[in-house]
Amino acid sequence: MKKVLIFLFALVTFAACKKDTEKAEEVTPKDPAAAIAGAYNVTSFSYEVNGESVVTYNKLPVTEDGVTVSAIANIEKTSEGKVSLVLLLKATGEQDQELDLGEYVAKADGSDYGIYSENGSQLAEIKSGKLDFQASGTSDGETVEIRFTGKK
């Protein structure tokens, strides 16, 4: 009798998992690029050169001396499985600054998504509409790092 109860419990558990998987497949779009496309209000931003902070905002938007600083990360689908990422920086009384961060590969992992460089390095993770981006590289012999988070 005990073996039968364990078997029934395992069968019910397996059946419940199968239904959840089927639901996830129905909800998750086939193209991750389409799923993550949109505007993300940037909530924190950091830019470093050679390990030294150039600009850090732990919370955005922020107002200092009558100037409000904010940013938007725009993810646009460019083709099947690919997206472009543009960061729009705004400050009251100043011209908006657009930073084209390039084109990347979008991949799904269940209900979560990632943005990857062509060489396979993960640069961003998107969970429940929250974007976490971090990238570094060299420019003119200097190491540059940019990090930001945003909410769709």
Side-chain angles (χ1 to χ4, degrees), residues 2-17:
K2 188 175 181 181
K3 288 181 181 178
V4 171
L5 289 175
I6 291 172
F7 174 74
L8 287 175
F9 177 75
L11 186 61
V12 168
T13 303
F14 177 73
C17 290

Side-chain angles (χ1 to χ4, degrees), residues 7 23 31 42 78 87 96 99 106 137 151:
F7 174 74
K23 287 179 185 177
D31 182 15
V42 175
T78 56
L87 192 59
D96 293 350
L99 179 60
K151 190 80 174 158

Side-chain angles (χ1 to χ4, degrees), residues 53-80:
S53 177
V54 175
V55 176
T56 299
Y57 291 109
N58 293 321
K59 185 173 181 176
L60 285 174
V62 65
T63 302
E64 293 178 3
D65 299 325
V67 177
T68 300
V69 176
S70 64
I72 297 172
N74 288 307
I75 299 176
E76 185 177 313
K77 176 182 173 179
T78 56
S79 63
E80 187 79 18

Side-chain angles (χ1 to χ4, degrees), residues 28-49:
T28 304
K30 292 182 181 182
D31 182 15
I36 64 174
Y40 294 78
N41 291 316
V42 175
T43 56
S44 68
F45 177 83
S46 173
Y47 180 72
E48 295 178 2
V49 176

Side-chain angles (χ1 to χ4, degrees), residues 24 28-29 32 36 106-114 116 122 125-127:
T28 304
I36 64 174
K107 296 181 183 178
D109 182 17
S111 62
D112 300 332
Y113 298 92
Y116 298 82
Q122 185 171 4
E125 180 177 67
I126 301 170
K127 288 184 176 182

